[in-house]
Amino acid sequence: MKKMIGVAVAATLSTSAAVAAEKWDMPMAYSDSNFHTQNGKAFARCVGTATGGDVDITVHGGGSLFKGGEIKRAIQTGQVQIGERLLSAHQNEEPIFGIDSIPFLASSFDASEKLFAATRKTLEATLDEQNLHLLYSVPWPPQGFYFKKEVNEVADMKGIKFRSYNSATARLAELTGMIPVQIEAAEISQAFATGVAESMISSGATGYDRKVWESLTHFYEVDGWLPRNAVMVNKDAWEDLDEDQQNAISGCADLAAYSGLWRSKQYTDFTMKGLAENGMSVGPASDKLVEELKEIGATMTAEWLTAAGESGGEVVKAYKEAIK
Ligand code: PCA
């Protein structure tokens, strides 16, 4: 008898919880093992706990629900309530989305955080106009070059097919005499194996996740910039929540920003070692190459400032004040 009552109470509880719970789908583009995805899953668990089960988020990693290039639109249009996207891939919509991918503007974790702090308000306002509410943002590790041969200067890059992931990396390819091909991270192993692409600039993390040592041989640390992923909610879904629920989720978002940064730093060392252990030559780029890239960085900074206008200029100015 006692047992039956227990079952009845449990059934009642779970029914009422199921009625109240908002079920959110959260597409993420990168592999399940990647630290962004692990961090997103921890964030989803935090939201479940902090809202007492009111908001129940299911993470879909590895581009399984929507591919990277589709995620932002899916959130904007309410096909999903929440998701994660590399915002710089949408720089063609709004220059501010690409501020984290200007070569050598912010090339350490510290600088990346300061640049994000200087950008946040403008970014939030821009996303708001697109029906999006920004929750948190986490940097990828510093970006370096992958090749299948030794490269010591820009002249060595001529004619190489270069995998790009946003317009800044495509522009970088042009300025270094390479041929850009835009490919999502989920598809790069195949692109390298079939020769559609022969090089890229990315983190040790992505090279490691995609086992690029199967096709490529060299990784050159450049620390060009640290692009960031942003986790965003559909504004209508956000406004449907009450204030307590919003506060609980914002608390989890702050925690995820902090733990994501920590995971990114840890994963940097781990994946650098992993690339070397799997036979890649890993080391700093030559002084000559870095110098040439810095010149290209200056060109790209000027181009971005022209495109971004006054508000972009103010963000860069505030950032430069913060790093003085
Ligand atoms: N990995 C992602 C973006 C930046 C990075 O380190 C990619 O290569 O697509």
Side-chain angles (χ1 to χ4, degrees):
M1 188 63 197
K2 232 186 187 169
K3 193 173 165 208
M4 277 184 68
I5 290 171
V7 170
V9 169
T12 313
L13 277 180
S14 72
T15 314
S16 62
V19 170
E22 295 282 341
K23 297 250 179 215
W24 284 8
D25 286 307
M26 178 165 167
M28 302 185 81
Y30 304 96
S31 60
D32 272 324
S33 62
N34 181 269
F35 72 92
H36 285 291
T37 314
Q38 291 298 321
N39 196 49
K41 288 185 175 176
F43 164 75
R45 286 194 295 276
C46 176
V47 168
T49 308
T51 62
D54 284 354
V55 181
D56 177 11
I57 301 179
T58 306
V59 171
H60 304 269
S64 57
L65 186 61
F66 285 100
K67 293 201 190 327
E70 304 163 344
I71 291 176
K72 180 166 170 285
R73 175 135 292 275
I75 314 167
Q76 279 176 259
T77 56
Q79 287 173 280
V80 292
Q81 298 78 9
I82 184 169
E84 180 192 63
R85 179 58 174 151
L86 179 83
L87 263 188
S88 58
H90 299 272
Q91 184 180 342
N92 55 341
E93 296 168 26
E94 294 287 347
I96 196 73
F97 294 158
I99 196 168
D100 59 27
S101 296
I102 301 169
F104 302 108
L105 180 63
S107 50
S108 66
F109 281 105
D110 237 32
S112 169
E113 288 302 296
K114 290 195 169 118
L115 180 60
F116 180 67
T119 308
R120 184 158 193 154
K121 257 202 171 145
T122 309
L123 186 59
E124 281 177 346
T126 308
L127 289 171
D128 187 78
E129 280 168 21
Q130 297 193 349
N131 204 36
L132 293 166
H133 173 77
L134 178 70
L135 278 179
Y136 70 86
S137 161
V138 171
W140 285 91
Q143 306 288 288
F145 275 113
Y146 290 86
F147 292 106
K148 53 205 278 190
K149 64 167 193 178
E150 197 178 311
V151 168
N152 295 312
E153 54 183 316
V154 165
D156 295 337
M157 299 180 181
K158 202 165 178 51
I160 292 179
K161 284 180 264 174
F162 180 82
R163 174 263 169 170
S164 61
Y165 60 73
N166 60 15
S167 47
T169 48
R171 181 72 182 130
L172 181 68
E174 281 168 12
L175 290 169
T176 51
M178 295 192 281
I179 304 155
V181 215
Q182 177 108 8
I183 301 167
E184 287 290 331
E187 264 108 52
I188 59 179
S189 312
Q190 207 195 347
F192 290 137
T194 55
V196 169
E198 311 163 290
S199 68
M200 66 172 174
I201 190 159
S202 190
S203 55
T206 292
Y208 182 86
D209 288 343
R210 307 318 309 169
K211 297 190 171 57
V212 298
W213 52 80
E214 289 172 355
S215 308
L216 308 180
T217 51
H218 290 70
F219 179 74
Y220 292 102
E221 293 161 27
V222 174
D223 294 356
W225 62 92
L226 292 81
R228 303 179 71 104
N229 284 356
V231 169
M232 300 164 282
V233 190
N234 174 282
K235 205 168 120 188
D236 307 312
W238 181 249
E239 285 172 356
D240 280 347
L241 301 175
D242 66 33
E243 210 185 320
D244 287 344
Q245 292 166 329
Q246 289 180 346
N247 288 342
I249 295 175
S250 298
C252 291
D254 289 348
L255 187 64
Y258 184 84
S259 64
L261 175 64
W262 184 84
R263 283 174 197 259
S264 190
K265 289 179 182 170
Q266 299 291 313
Y267 210 51
T268 303
D269 297 338
F270 172 78
T271 56
M272 283 297 142
K273 281 194 196 112
L275 293 177
E277 276 164 19
N278 283 287
M280 291 193 81
S281 141
V282 175
S286 73
D287 291 347
K288 170 147 200 226
L289 181 55
V290 172
E291 233 168 77
E292 290 176 317
L293 291 171
K294 286 200 166 151
E295 271 174 42
I296 290 172
T299 303
M300 289 179 63
T301 305
E303 288 175 353
W304 187 87
L305 283 167
T306 305
E310 206 179 311
S311 69
E314 273 165 21
V315 170
V316 171
K317 206 169 129 203
Y319 160 67
K320 293 213 158 143
E321 278 297 314
I323 55 166
K324 254 187 193 166

